[in-house]
Amino acid sequence: MNRTSLALALAAMLSLSLTGCGEKQEAAQVQAEKAAPVAAATATATFEAQVAAFEKNNLLALLQSSLPQQQWEEAKADWERNRAEPITEEDRKEWADSWGKLTAPDGVNQIMAEVEPKLAEAKPQMAGMVAMMQGIAMMSVQNNQELTDAQKQQATSLLQGLSGWLNTTDFTDAAKMRAALTALADGMRATKIATLEDLHALSFEDLLAKGGVMLGAFKQSLDVYGLSLDQIAKSMKAEVLTETGDTAKLKVSYSLFGTPLSYESEMQRIDGKWYGKDLLAQIEKATAEAESEGDATAEADATDGDSDSETAATGEGEGES
């Protein structure tokens, strides 16, 4: 199995993490997600549908409304190729050191035993670290020549709110760390994914359904530290600034750390449905880079093959002489 593909699959699932909901709840969510609409008719309606899907931890609906049909099919095909690859011993070790370690019966206790001394060591340094990071970030924003004055003001407001959160949240609190890890571990167990074979048995839609359950736990783990992603999502409002043909520009307003913020987002209409222009560009770039990397690997393999052939031929010639 390709280790990078495995790492990406695990990172996507772990970063979304989940709550310890029951099996009946998970089954109900799977059915709801499979029946979810793909996209809405207007740019603002599409954005609102995506926010609603995020709030409901419905990754299937979120991804379906974010990807045109071609990209959706390509994503499914990529997953099918990944799960068809053989599982190596190295893959099993990586799994045991990550997923397996946290989901073990005493996994949280073992991790806390490793982490607590480091948390205690970092505690007296935390305030200074936060102040230093704030200063560096503020300077970086002000010196950025690509940002407009309005964008710099938005970034500064964001950093000020972020600093307020960092300064009032004790990230070295062992009890908080234990609660956050427990939420993740319980959620991971709730997916019923215990082995790599379990992971490979999932269809693309089922993988997203499991990831949706995990998203709930990730939110729960952040709630421990006073950061509610759902509250941020609920505060999001979109309005059309301009719409010309198949292109629209939205102004998205939201509240973060009690600070009102906004940004502009471009949407593109494809086959009557609206999609984020930046996301499409990122997908196109990632696809091109992957193809380039694949071509480079194939070329390197071919070169190695030619070298081996030449070496073998030289050896045969020397033997004959």
Side-chain angles (χ1 to χ4, degrees):
M1 179 180 184
N2 184 285
R3 287 181 295 169
T4 302
S5 298
L6 172 63
L8 289 174
L10 290 177
M13 299 184 77
L14 281 168
S15 66
L16 294 170
S17 295
L18 71 170
T19 57
C21 63
E23 189 172 352
K24 291 183 180 179
Q25 288 175 302
E26 181 181 332
Q29 180 176 342
V30 170
Q31 294 303 317
E33 289 178 349
K34 288 185 176 180
V38 175
T42 66
T44 52
T46 296
F47 179 84
E48 290 166 358
Q50 291 171 348
V51 172
F54 176 80
E55 288 185 63
K56 295 176 182 177
N57 304 328
N58 192 337
L59 287 187
L60 181 57
L62 179 58
L63 197 60
Q64 284 181 326
S65 64
S66 301
L67 297 180
Q69 189 62 31
Q70 179 181 344
Q71 282 74 18
W72 169 261
E73 294 299 335
E74 288 173 356
K76 287 183 65 174
D78 284 343
W79 171 246
E80 291 302 322
R81 284 191 293 269
N82 287 338
R83 72 177 183 139
E85 293 180 5
I87 300 172
T88 68
E89 290 306 313
E90 186 173 1
D91 294 333
R92 296 186 191 281
K93 184 177 184 305
E94 291 178 358
W95 178 271
D97 290 342
S98 54
W99 189 282
K101 184 175 183 177
L102 188 53
T103 56
D106 62 342
V108 172
N109 289 334
Q110 288 189 9
I111 293 174
M112 287 304 300
E114 299 173 5
V115 170
E116 282 195 57
K118 298 177 182 178
L119 293 177
E121 182 180 345
K123 193 176 188 70
Q125 306 170 14
M126 186 59 66
M129 291 172 59
V130 170
M132 181 177 66
M133 288 188 296
Q134 180 185 10
I136 293 174
M138 288 288 191
M139 187 179 300
S140 176
V141 168
Q142 296 306 317
N143 293 336
N144 192 318
Q145 300 299 318
E146 297 181 1
L147 296 178
T148 65
D149 290 341
Q151 289 173 329
K152 288 182 179 180
Q153 184 176 355
Q154 284 284 310
T156 299
S157 297
L158 172 60
L159 290 173
Q160 288 172 342
L162 177 62
S163 297
W165 175 59
L166 293 175
N167 283 313
T168 56
T169 304
D170 187 358
F171 293 96
T172 63
D173 187 324
K176 283 186 171 64
M177 175 69 76
R178 178 178 292 276
L181 288 175
T182 299
L184 294 177
D186 288 348
M188 291 160 71
R189 295 189 195 101
T191 65
K192 311 300 182 186
I193 301 174
T195 66
L196 280 172
E197 284 77 9
D198 294 336
L199 181 65
H200 282 207
L202 299 175
S203 67
F204 187 60
E205 288 81 1
D206 288 338
L207 177 71
L208 292 175
K210 299 287 188 180
V213 178
M214 295 175 63
L215 176 56
F218 181 59
K219 291 176 180 178
Q220 185 179 349
S221 68
L222 290 181
D223 284 342
V224 172
Y225 294 99
L227 176 58
S228 173
L229 296 184
D230 283 339
Q231 284 186 3
I232 297 171
K234 288 181 186 301
S235 72
M236 286 186 161
K237 306 295 179 186
E239 60 178 304
V240 176
L241 294 178
T242 61
E243 183 174 335
T244 305
D246 291 330
T247 301
K249 180 178 289 187
L250 303 182
K251 178 182 178 181
V252 179
S253 303
Y254 65 105
S255 178
L256 182 61
F257 307 121
T259 303
L261 299 166
S262 66
Y263 66 91
E264 293 183 0
S265 176
E266 289 190 82
M267 305 283 284
Q268 182 176 343
R269 183 162 47 195
I270 300 175
D271 297 330
K273 297 171 184 175
W274 291 94
Y275 303 96
K277 199 170 182 179
D278 287 343
L279 177 61
L280 296 180
Q282 291 171 11
I283 293 173
E284 184 176 349
K285 180 181 178 182
T287 300
E289 290 176 349
E291 291 176 351
S292 177
E293 182 179 343
D295 292 342
T297 300
E299 184 177 345
D301 290 342
T303 302
D304 290 342
D306 292 342
S307 298
D308 291 341
S309 299
E310 291 176 3
T311 301
T314 302
E316 290 176 0
E318 291 176 351
E320 291 174 358
S321 61

